[in-house]
Amino acid sequence: MGKYVAKRIIQLIPTLFFVILTAFLLMKLIPGDPAMILLGPQARAEDIARFRQQLGLDRPLPVQFLIYLKRVLMGDLGISLVYRQSVLSLILERLPVTITLSLCALVIAVSIGIPAGVMAAMKHNSFIDLLVTILALMGLSMPIFWFGMMLIIVFSLELGWLPAVGLGDPTKGLWDVVSHFILPSLALGILSTGTIARFTRSSMLEVLNQDYIRTAYAKGLRRTLILYRHALRNALVPVITVIGLQLGNLLAGAVLTETVFALPGLGKLMVDGIFRRDYMLVQGEVLFTAILYIFVNLAVDIAYAFINPKIRQTYRGV
């Protein structure tokens, strides 16, 4: 098991290097000079040149990358050109909102997706199976921003049940904060709900066709015992991997959701940074999100190895 974890961690090194290089090059392709943007159109040419020198933008591209790589390895993502604050501190300030939103969306997706997938498999080729399949496809196909706006129109503007935008005020009680997360979590979780439902259905159908399930029926075991103790337990092993991967997708999908619902998280911060051409902020946030996604996948792989005895046996024999 230790060899498996060590191998996965070593495999991260080239991936992390590629992510840092990609983040650096992508920002170089974006038009606009950060020095001119920060100093404004009235700035003199010598002031712009001096500021470019301070930022290291006057050096060759490989040298700029090496300087950037060294700073990143030391945990320095630069200073925001607009906020005049450390990019890392800005990200850490907004991170709890994005993490909370993503976890709430994941809870909704798992709570709905797994029961729906199990039910569809147990009622294979029935109306319920068809209904779950159609709803899962609708969830996969529905744009997050469109679904978010529909939720605002129905539950906020028409019915007035839930707040449309903002984070809520903790001094007004827990419900004020929770109510502000319900609609964004539903909007963000709809995509993962469809994915989890479809994957659970497929996994459950595959397990139900295994010989040991037929043997259990032949021995006269109760159907509920076979389904929930033997079939569901094995069917959920690969689903757990999908759930972990969905958490990474939810972190990325928070960009649109936070913009629609005006939540002050990482997604909203990135959109604001793009519109204001905050060179260092966008670069730092892209890199931070990519690294977070990579480590979430690493945690999923390690968790999967713990619950899957085949992986443990493979590396035990190495």
Side-chain angles (χ1 to χ4, degrees):
M1 186 64 194
K3 293 179 181 177
Y4 172 77
V5 175
K7 182 179 178 182
R8 291 292 296 117
I9 293 175
I10 291 173
Q11 288 174 342
L12 286 185
I13 295 175
T15 307
L16 288 172
F17 180 81
F18 180 75
V19 166
I20 295 172
L21 178 63
T22 304
F24 174 78
L25 293 178
L26 282 178
M27 292 310 300
K28 291 297 176 186
L29 295 176
I30 295 178
D33 187 337
M36 292 182 65
I37 295 169
L38 182 63
L39 297 179
Q42 306 300 327
R44 297 178 301 175
E46 54 268 28
D47 293 334
I48 294 175
R50 185 170 58 253
F51 196 71
R52 285 177 56 82
Q53 185 179 12
Q54 291 175 358
L55 293 177
L57 299 176
D58 59 334
R59 299 188 180 187
L61 202 61
V63 177
Q64 290 186 42
F65 174 68
L66 290 176
I67 295 173
Y68 177 68
L69 180 63
K70 181 182 176 183
R71 288 208 329 262
V72 169
L73 293 178
M74 296 175 67
D76 179 12
L77 298 181
I79 303 296
S80 166
L81 301 178
V82 174
Y83 294 93
R84 296 285 190 173
Q85 187 179 342
S86 164
V87 170
L88 186 60
S89 66
L90 280 170
I91 291 174
L92 294 179
E93 284 176 7
R94 308 294 184 95
L95 184 61
V97 175
T98 301
I99 293 291
T100 303
L101 175 63
S102 301
L103 290 178
C104 290
L106 188 64
V107 169
I108 290 173
V110 171
S111 303
I112 299 174
I114 288 182
V118 171
M119 191 179 301
M122 292 170 61
K123 304 290 183 182
H124 186 46
N125 288 333
S126 67
F127 172 74
I128 293 177
D129 185 17
L130 179 64
L131 181 64
V132 170
T133 302
I134 292 174
L135 291 177
L137 286 174
M138 288 177 62
L140 287 169
S141 310
M142 203 175 302
I144 293 177
F145 67 93
W146 180 83
F147 187 57
M149 288 189 286
M150 292 299 104
L151 289 176
I152 290 176
I153 292 172
V154 174
F155 293 100
S156 296
L157 301 182
E158 296 295 332
L159 299 176
W161 289 354
L162 294 166
V165 296
L167 193 58
D169 185 0
T171 61
K172 295 181 180 178
L174 180 61
W175 171 246
D176 190 66
V177 177
V178 172
S179 62
H180 281 80
F181 273 96
I182 293 177
L183 294 184
S185 301
L186 284 171
L188 183 60
I190 186 68
L191 181 65
S192 296
T193 302
T195 303
I196 292 173
R198 283 177 59 83
F199 204 88
T200 303
R201 175 184 177 276
S202 301
S203 180
M204 192 73 179
L205 282 175
E206 184 178 346
V207 171
L208 289 175
N209 289 322
Q210 297 291 321
D211 291 338
Y212 70 90
I213 295 294
R214 297 193 190 95
T215 303
Y217 276 115
K219 287 182 176 179
L221 294 179
R222 286 183 290 115
R223 186 169 184 266
T224 53
L225 182 67
I226 296 171
L227 291 175
Y228 292 105
R229 176 171 294 182
H230 299 287
L232 182 59
R233 180 179 296 180
N234 292 318
L236 286 182
V237 171
V239 175
I240 291 173
T241 307
V242 175
I243 292 173
L245 295 176
Q246 286 303 308
L247 180 58
N249 293 335
L250 291 173
L251 290 170
V255 174
L256 289 174
T257 310
E258 290 175 2
T259 303
V260 172
F261 291 93
L263 285 174
L266 288 181
K268 183 73 166 50
L269 183 67
M270 180 176 287
V271 172
D272 291 343
I274 291 172
F275 279 115
R276 301 171 78 173
R277 296 198 173 185
D278 194 337
Y279 174 86
M280 299 301 291
L281 175 60
V282 176
Q283 188 180 44
E285 195 167 347
V286 168
L287 180 61
F288 183 86
T289 306
I291 291 175
L292 188 63
Y293 188 90
I294 289 172
F295 278 99
V296 167
N297 286 339
L298 173 65
V300 171
D301 286 347
I302 294 175
Y304 186 65
F306 271 109
I307 61 177
N308 191 340
K310 292 181 180 177
I311 294 180
R312 293 200 301 270
Q313 290 172 0
T314 300
Y315 282 85
R316 191 175 294 137
V318 173

